[in-house]
């Protein structure tokens, strides 16, 4: 029998590696956003005395002038650096795909599967497409920041705020943008990791996966009802929610019939979590 604790030990090792990848990528993205905000703050302090003269204009006029005066400084994600961002995400997703291969390799070996097909996981073209979609989401966060920041500047001009009063409000919007970027990174790492693992299982004729919550994370209600349960690969929807931290291990009816699966542990894990 393959002990459930051994399965979770493998999951925990991969989870720690995924966390390291995420942390490095989040730090890079936060650095980009901080640099952009620093440039915006400098430009705003430079132009704000001039902007204060338009406080009495109607909203549409104020918005037009603010956009004209601050220009590209309002972009957290600079449009002409799209290729660099795409490369950044492509590297991230490639590492995640490789982690899915490592997870599947270790779990399949634990269950005694040794005659394995070579790992292919998610193909290069699909990863490139996913990277492009990731960049589009980043641009949406940047556009949202730009819209809210422009509105805040307009409100500050009406209220007679100085730049020192306004900038902390803008920095809070930066914090929201950072949180969205971090959530996106985590979702994409875990999504590609588990997709890669499932692809490997199916390469080796395995049609089922067992759902495990990471031991390092709290167990949310949506994942709790799945924890330890078995699903057909084709029926699995993952991730279930932002920052989902669950993993999928291979499962075969034959293993259960032969007493290889640790059903009592899975039942305990389902009801209690770890």
């Amino acid at each position: 029998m393959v002990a459930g604790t051994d399965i979770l030990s493998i999951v925990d090792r991969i989870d720690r590696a995924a966390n390291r990848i995420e942390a490095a990528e989040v730090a890079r993205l936060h650095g980009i956003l901080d640099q952009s905000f620093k440039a915006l703050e400098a430009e705003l302090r430079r132009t704000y005395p001039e902007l204060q003269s338009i406080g009495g204009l109607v909203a549409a006029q104020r918005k037009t002038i603010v956009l004209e005066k601050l220009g590209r400084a309002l972009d957290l994600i600079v449009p002409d650096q799209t290729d660099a961002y795409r490369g950044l995400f492509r590297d991230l997703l490639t590492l995640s795909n490789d982690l899915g291969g490592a997870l599947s390799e270790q779990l399949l070996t634990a269950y005694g599967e040794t005659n394995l097909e070579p790992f292919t996981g998610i193909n290069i073209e699909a990863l490139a497409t996913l990277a492009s979609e990731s960049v589009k989401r980043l641009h949406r966060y940047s556009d949202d920041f730009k819209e809210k920041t422009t509105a805040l500047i307009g409100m500050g001009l009406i209220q007679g705020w100085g730049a020192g009063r306004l900038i902390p409000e803008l920095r809070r919007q930066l914090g929201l943008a950072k949180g969205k970027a971090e959530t996106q990174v985590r979702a994409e790492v875990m999504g590609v990791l588990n997709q890669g693992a499932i692809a490997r299982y199916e390469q080796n004729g395995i049609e089922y996966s067992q759902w495990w919550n990471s031991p390092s994370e709290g167990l949310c209600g949506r994942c709790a009802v799945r924890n330890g349960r078995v699903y057909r690969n084709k029926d699995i929807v993952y991730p279930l929610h932002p920052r989902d931290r669950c993993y999928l291990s291979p499962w075969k009816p034959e293993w259960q019939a032969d007493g290889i699966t640790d059903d009592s542990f899975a039942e305990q894990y389902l009801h209690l979590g770890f």
Side-chain angles (χ1 to χ4, degrees), residues 21-31 178 181-183 185-186:
I21 290 174
E22 290 168 0
E25 194 67 16
V26 166
R28 289 172 70 183
L29 282 175
H30 281 187
K178 283 184 172 183
E182 182 173 348
T183 296
V185 166
R186 291 193 65 169

Side-chain angles (χ1 to χ4, degrees), residues 139-198:
H139 281 303
R140 286 199 292 271
Y141 303 152
S142 181
D143 290 344
D144 184 58
F145 173 85
K146 185 175 186 177
E147 185 70 24
K148 291 178 178 177
T149 295
T150 302
L152 277 169
I153 292 172
M155 183 178 71
L157 293 171
I158 294 173
Q159 299 293 331
W161 294 351
R165 170 69 176 82
L166 179 61
I167 286 171
E169 298 297 329
L170 303 186
R171 192 169 283 115
R172 275 189 275 276
Q173 292 300 319
L174 172 67
L176 293 175
K178 283 184 172 183
K180 291 175 181 177
E182 182 173 348
T183 296
Q184 177 183 340
V185 166
R186 291 193 65 169
E188 290 172 356
V189 166
M190 294 303 298
V192 167
L193 190 160
N194 279 295
Q195 289 172 40
I198 288 176

Side-chain angles (χ1 to χ4, degrees), residues 24 44 73 79 82 100 122 133 136 161 193 205 207 219 257 271 274:
L44 182 62
T82 292
I122 303 172
E133 292 299 318
K136 288 179 183 178
W161 294 351
L193 190 160
E207 299 178 358
L219 187 61
H271 290 299
F274 277 73

Side-chain angles (χ1 to χ4, degrees), residues 60-214:
Q61 292 174 317
R62 283 196 309 273
K63 180 177 181 180
T64 298
I65 295 173
V66 168
L67 290 171
E68 179 184 301
K69 291 293 184 182
L70 295 177
R72 292 182 58 180
L74 289 164
D75 293 318
L76 283 179
I77 301 298
V78 181
D80 61 11
Q81 293 181 7
T82 292
D83 286 345
Y85 301 137
R86 189 181 295 116
L88 182 151
F89 274 101
R90 188 168 56 246
D91 292 345
L92 170 72
L93 298 178
T94 298
L95 288 172
S96 304
N97 189 40
D98 292 343
L99 267 185
L103 175 70
S104 60
E105 179 85 23
Q106 294 177 39
L107 291 172
L108 288 166
T109 300
Y111 278 110
E113 299 286 312
T114 55
N115 188 24
L116 301 175
E117 293 291 326
F119 175 66
T120 57
I122 303 172
N123 64 46
I124 294 174
E125 292 78 12
L127 288 175
T129 299
L130 289 171
S132 294
E133 292 299 318
S134 298
V135 175
K136 288 179 183 178
R137 280 188 285 274
L138 272 186
H139 281 303
R140 286 199 292 271
Y141 303 152
S142 181
D143 290 344
D144 184 58
F145 173 85
K146 185 175 186 177
E147 185 70 24
K148 291 178 178 177
T149 295
T150 302
L152 277 169
I153 292 172
M155 183 178 71
L157 293 171
I158 294 173
Q159 299 293 331
W161 294 351
R165 170 69 176 82
L166 179 61
I167 286 171
E169 298 297 329
L170 303 186
R171 192 169 283 115
R172 275 189 275 276
Q173 292 300 319
L174 172 67
L176 293 175
K178 283 184 172 183
K180 291 175 181 177
E182 182 173 348
T183 296
Q184 177 183 340
V185 166
R186 291 193 65 169
E188 290 172 356
V189 166
M190 294 303 298
V192 167
L193 190 160
N194 279 295
Q195 289 172 40
I198 288 176
R200 182 71 181 286
Y201 303 153
E202 292 181 338
Q203 277 182 281
N204 291 277
I206 298 173
E207 299 178 358
Y208 298 87
S209 292
Q210 192 165 22
W211 193 287
W212 300 102
N213 183 254
S214 167

Side-chain angles (χ1 to χ4, degrees), residues 101 126 246:
C246 294

